[in-house]
Amino acid sequence: MAVVTGLIMLENILQSLAAGLLIGAIYGLMCVGLALIFGVMRVINFAQGDFMMLGMYAAYYAFALFGVQALFGSTIGPYVAALLAAPLLFAVGYGVHWALVSRVTGTRTAGLDGDGHYAQLILTLGTALILQNGAMIVFGSYPVSVQTPLSVSAWEVGPLWDDYVSVFVNKARGIAALVSVATILLLARLIASSRLGKALRASADNPEAATYMGIDVQRSHRVAFALGTAITAVAGALLATNYPFHPYVGLEYVIVMYAGVVMGGMGSILGAFWGGMTIGVVQQMSTLILPTQLQNTAIFVIFLLIVFLRPQGFFGRVVERT
Amino acid sequence: MGPRKTGLGLSGLLLAGTIAMGLTAPPVLAQQPAEVKVGLLVPMSGIYARPGQVMRMGAEMAVDHINAQGGIKALGGAKLKLVAIDSGDSTEKAKNAAQRMVAEEKDMVAASAAYLSSFTLAVTEVTERVNLPVLTLSYSDLITERGFKYVFQTSATAASQAEQSLPEIVKLAEKASGKRPKSVAIITDNTAASVSSVKPMKERLLKELGIELVVDETFTPPLADATPLVQRVRSARPDLLFFLPTVISDAKLVLEKMNEFGLGQGRVPTISFGIAIAEPDLLKTMSPALLDGVMTVVANWGSKGHEALMAELKSRYNEPWMTQNAISTYGDMWIIKEALEKAGKADREAVAQTLRAMDMTGGPTAYFPGGRMQFDGKGRRVGAGLTIVQWQKGTPVTVYPSELALSEPFWPKK
């Protein structure tokens, strides 16, 4: 009997860990999008959650209305739709930067009070409100999701011990986690070894020096903003198979994104991924010892602990750049 | 000198104003009002926007019907005018909206509010102070536990619903499966209505019915993932699952996870309390096959006798069936109409008094289960019944009580 209780306990632990890693991978991807924008431009983007919402709707409409489901079926379709959301939201991000964000960032703000952060804050908050309410008018208030049979089925790992200890890995979440990791690897490669990546890093490290070296800092910022928007949109679209969403869904995730970015170290892109992953794992595993109601409280207790013990985050640099 | 002069000027102005008002007031009062304002304070933005909009549909339909049938006859055929106000998506916003409403709409005679029990609790704190009668479909017992005089709860309270429905559910399970359920898992969110439903079960009802509570989980909506919750159910293998969500996404996450873990589609029969699990929106996010057989206990539902209303709701707003949000709010407007007829004047105090004294079996009674329209000293509807609704082939239909049922209940068994 004691063995059985132990095995059930083990199963609970492994199952929560699996759920945490799967959801953490998607959180990680969201955070990376935000970290890219913050890392390169030093802009705190409050509209990031709402760009994610747009990504979710883009994937939904691509899937349900514009033929992706008919062409690729309900199994692969959702992932094709998620990848289609990327270029679309890249364009949106590019446009928003060109029309709005560039007016309060970059070289224009040098020497302004607080480096223009106040204007940026108001601008992104305002954008968030417009997107939320605009989406409500255009898309309606009812929740929708990208429907696939994968979200209700799982790969069963086990039983690992006689008849006990089976871990279920939700198929939709499993594939989403793989796509998410692949996207991050691709991005890391882009930043590390392409000419564009070099320009992004240079603009992030020292915009002034980068300008002297012949780098178009404004363009780098625009690309970073668009890329960050696109990546978060993909994360949203991957989430959309399991999570019904509505125009206000961004609010539910923007806090998670910020906590993840700060935990990982402001400005560190890889750190943001691990920050998001930590949130996912803490959120799911805390239920083993704490009441489920306190899931999100647990996240912020860990968050405060990390900020207290390691203020620069997992991967942050102690010395601020000049 | 300056300020003193202004002061004099102001008091002069005030005096002139008072005289002017005194002169013009009697003719205005003597006239019958052309329109009588009734309020609807419900969420129309944020994550609860959808139920609020359905309530608005119900209210609009009722006001149109009332006006088309000659308005308020006791007021010379005065028309009702619906003032719909967005309560937002938090108790704080709901309270602010209520403050705005009472400040701006001084001639409003009554209102219906505010969907979520938590919001209704906040809103009525404000409306009570200005003596505005408020009808509510919210469930929480607390709403009418505070000694307020201007709150009228048309739904059976959550505790009363639990008390009425649990024996029925056990009877149904026993009849269909041949054995009495012995254990139950409860998964509930922590909103006021859900908590009020679960409280009497845990304290008393389950023990009285000889059912053991094997899983007891409370979560904060919205969930990000349902794995840990459903894992508990898998470990405990109960005979029944009581699942009380308020947000659609939580309903989808848990029901899909049940299926994924091999517990869905009747292996562990699922019973809910409240409306979320029978919302049309659920079909936009998940497959109807996973819902078949799922039952829910609700205070009100489009049932036998409401066929014409259900058809109108469908043709006018494209709503596939009539939820409590639509039918109760529709009924609320008719109750207010009835109170205005009896009061004979468009005055909130008079309306409140007639509501307290009301005792009728016809008219608006048809829109609420329980067969009578009378409120007790707390503001609770006397003899308020309930309905049990079951998902059958992609539609939630009323299966209990038999006089309202549109279909026979079936017990999912595997």
Side-chain angles (χ1 to χ4, degrees):
Chain A
M1 195 62 209
V3 178
V4 172
T5 318
L7 288 174
I8 288 177
M9 183 83 94
L10 180 66
E11 184 181 81
N12 288 349
I13 293 172
L14 290 177
Q15 190 68 66
S16 305
L17 180 66
L21 290 173
L22 293 181
I23 187 99
I26 302 180
Y27 285 168
L29 190 60
M30 278 176 210
C31 295
V32 165
L34 184 66
L36 188 63
I37 293 176
F38 184 80
V40 174
M41 297 175 60
R42 302 271 135 182
V43 166
I44 297 180
N45 182 17
F46 276 104
Q48 193 74 3
D50 305 294
F51 285 130
M52 183 184 94
M53 176 269 295
L54 287 184
M56 292 169 121
Y57 275 103
Y60 172 74
Y61 282 109
F63 179 71
L65 288 185
F66 300 122
V68 171
Q69 187 175 25
L71 217 61
F72 295 92
S74 299
T75 317
I76 311 172
Y79 304 98
V80 176
L83 295 180
L84 280 180
L88 207 66
L89 267 290
F90 185 91
V92 170
Y94 202 86
V96 168
H97 184 276
W98 173 79
L100 300 168
V101 180
S102 62
R103 285 161 210 273
V104 291
T105 57
T107 41
R108 288 193 190 210
T109 56
L112 275 183
D113 191 19
D115 288 336
H117 285 316
Y118 306 127
Q120 292 161 14
L121 225 83
I122 303 293
L123 178 79
T124 56
L125 260 178
T127 311
L129 288 176
I130 290 170
L131 288 177
Q132 284 163 19
N133 294 297
M136 171 116 149
I137 295 168
V138 177
F139 305 130
S141 58
Y142 52 87
V144 290
S145 64
V146 176
Q147 287 195 46
T148 159
L150 294 178
S151 73
V152 289
S153 47
W155 290 295
E156 188 176 344
V157 184
L160 302 172
W161 188 295
D162 284 343
D163 256 352
Y164 297 99
V165 196
S166 292
V167 175
F168 288 84
V169 176
N170 183 290
K171 287 182 184 167
R173 284 254 154 104
I175 297 173
L178 291 179
V179 174
S180 153
V181 170
T183 311
I184 287 162
L185 291 178
L186 210 70
L187 178 75
R189 195 164 162 71
L190 179 89
I191 289 175
S193 48
S194 74
R195 201 180 152 73
L196 174 71
K198 234 183 217 170
L200 288 180
R201 278 181 291 144
S203 314
D205 276 346
N206 193 331
E208 211 164 297
T211 314
Y212 294 146
M213 295 298 126
I215 291 168
D216 185 346
V217 172
Q218 186 77 326
R219 187 174 157 270
S220 298
H221 279 184
R222 193 156 296 164
V223 170
F225 194 85
L227 210 53
T229 306
I231 285 171
T232 303
V234 171
L238 291 173
L239 196 67
T241 55
N242 288 61
Y243 194 84
F245 54 93
H246 45 81
Y248 295 85
V249 74
L251 291 174
E252 288 162 25
Y253 287 95
V254 76
I255 309 265
V256 166
M257 287 187 216
Y258 272 99
V261 169
V262 175
M263 255 192 224
M266 303 282 274
S268 161
I269 288 172
L270 200 63
F273 177 74
W274 290 115
M277 188 60 104
T278 310
I279 290 180
V281 172
V282 169
Q283 188 184 47
Q284 299 306 317
M285 295 204 67
S286 70
T287 56
L288 292 168
I289 39 172
L290 292 172
T292 314
Q293 279 192 77
L294 299 181
Q295 262 187 328
N296 294 329
T297 316
I299 296 175
F300 288 96
V301 170
I302 299 291
F303 174 76
L304 286 178
L305 273 178
I306 289 173
V307 171
F308 185 68
L309 298 172
R310 201 180 149 77
Q312 71 274 32
F314 298 146
F315 291 82
R317 283 164 294 183
V318 184
V319 184
E320 254 308 289
R321 61 172 189 170
T322 45
Chain B
M1 275 317 273
R4 221 177 123 216
K5 214 170 168 182
T6 321
L8 267 175
L10 261 181
S11 51
L13 214 70
L14 260 175
L15 194 71
T18 320
I19 294 164
M21 265 173 71
L23 284 175
T24 52
V28 169
L29 276 181
Q31 242 172 18
Q32 287 299 355
E35 272 178 338
V36 182
K37 277 189 194 164
V38 289
L40 178 73
L41 182 63
V42 290
M44 284 181 277
S45 63
I47 61 169
Y48 301 108
R50 182 58 201 150
Q53 280 164 355
V54 174
M55 290 173 79
R56 188 181 187 162
M57 294 169 195
E60 278 174 0
M61 261 170 63
V63 166
D64 289 353
H65 290 174
I66 291 165
N67 288 344
Q69 289 170 30
I72 312 295
K73 298 185 182 73
L75 298 176
K79 300 268 186 279
L80 283 188
K81 182 173 186 248
L82 185 70
V83 181
I85 293 169
D86 180 12
S87 71
D89 55 1
S90 68
T91 46
E92 189 58 29
K93 285 185 198 163
K95 192 196 76 190
N96 289 341
Q99 273 162 347
R100 227 172 24 250
M101 177 176 84
V102 300
E104 285 170 11
E105 309 290 349
K106 298 236 184 275
D107 49 352
M108 183 180 281
V109 294
S112 176
Y115 179 59
L116 211 59
S117 288
S118 320
F119 293 3
T120 307
L121 283 165
V123 164
T124 46
E125 290 283 345
V126 176
T127 52
E128 183 76 10
R129 273 179 254 151
V130 294
N131 306 346
L132 180 70
V134 170
L135 295 160
T136 182
L137 53 71
S138 301
Y139 294 175
S140 173
D141 295 67
L142 280 176
I143 293 166
T144 39
E145 221 36 280
R146 297 167 297 175
F148 283 13
K149 294 275 173 284
Y150 295 85
V151 183
F152 301 89
Q153 196 168 21
T154 58
S155 298
T157 66
S160 153
Q161 285 187 48
E163 190 134 353
Q164 291 182 56
S165 62
L166 243 47
E168 288 306 321
I169 289 163
V170 170
K171 224 186 283 171
L172 187 59
E174 201 172 359
K175 202 171 108 191
S177 65
K179 66 181 180 56
R180 210 179 152 80
K182 294 225 163 359
S183 57
V184 66
I186 295 182
I187 296 180
T188 176
D189 68 20
N190 60 1
T191 60
S194 302
V195 170
S196 303
S197 298
V198 167
K199 197 165 162 260
M201 296 183 199
K202 287 200 239 179
E203 283 174 357
R204 192 164 57 78
L205 294 170
L206 291 175
K207 206 175 287 168
E208 285 169 14
L209 291 164
I211 298 175
E212 190 194 353
L213 179 61
V214 289
V215 175
D216 176 13
E217 288 288 336
T218 308
F219 66 88
T220 309
L223 280 173
D225 195 284
T227 306
L229 292 173
V230 178
Q231 174 64 21
R232 302 272 151 83
V233 179
R234 185 156 81 101
S235 306
R237 290 282 171 168
D239 293 335
L240 295 174
L241 168 67
F242 289 170
F243 170 44
L244 295 85
T246 308
V247 179
I248 300 269
S249 61
D250 296 338
K252 170 176 159 107
L253 281 171
V254 169
L255 291 176
E256 289 200 342
K257 192 59 80 178
M258 290 285 286
N259 194 66
E260 184 190 323
F261 279 16
L263 307 170
Q265 300 182 56
R267 282 180 196 86
V268 176
T270 303
I271 290 133
S272 188
F273 297 79
I275 180 183
I277 215 159
E279 289 268 21
D281 302 345
L282 214 51
L283 285 184
K284 292 198 176 79
T285 70
M286 65 187 290
S287 147
L290 298 185
L291 289 161
D292 214 43
V294 171
M295 276 184 239
T296 186
V297 176
V298 281
N300 201 355
W301 202 258
S303 304
K304 200 188 275 178
H306 303 145
E307 286 84 356
L309 286 178
M310 287 151 90
E312 187 183 335
L313 192 71
K314 194 169 190 170
S315 62
R316 189 163 159 187
Y317 298 103
N318 203 21
E319 284 293 303
W321 56 82
M322 198 160 199
T323 64
Q324 170 193 275
N325 294 331
I327 184 79
S328 279
T329 316
Y330 181 86
D332 280 356
M333 295 300 135
W334 280 96
I335 297 175
I336 294 171
K337 187 237 178 210
E338 210 56 52
L340 281 164
E341 295 286 8
K342 291 214 167 70
K345 53 180 167 177
D347 172 63
R348 55 175 70 159
E349 189 61 58
V351 168
Q353 269 169 24
T354 27
L355 282 171
R356 279 180 220 128
M358 190 176 269
D359 183 8
M360 56 195 298
T361 47
T365 316
Y367 311 120
F368 300 89
R372 192 158 167 212
M373 193 52 64
Q374 186 188 9
F375 295 96
D376 66 12
K378 286 179 169 175
R380 291 180 183 168
R381 189 160 66 86
V382 176
L386 53 76
T387 56
I388 299 178
V389 171
Q390 183 174 42
W391 277 95
Q392 296 183 355
K393 298 192 186 77
T395 310
V397 289
T398 308
V399 294
Y400 173 89
S402 50
E403 67 269 21
L404 297 176
L406 289 167
S407 179
E408 282 288 313
F410 75 92
W411 190 255
K413 49 181 170 184
K414 269 212 177 124

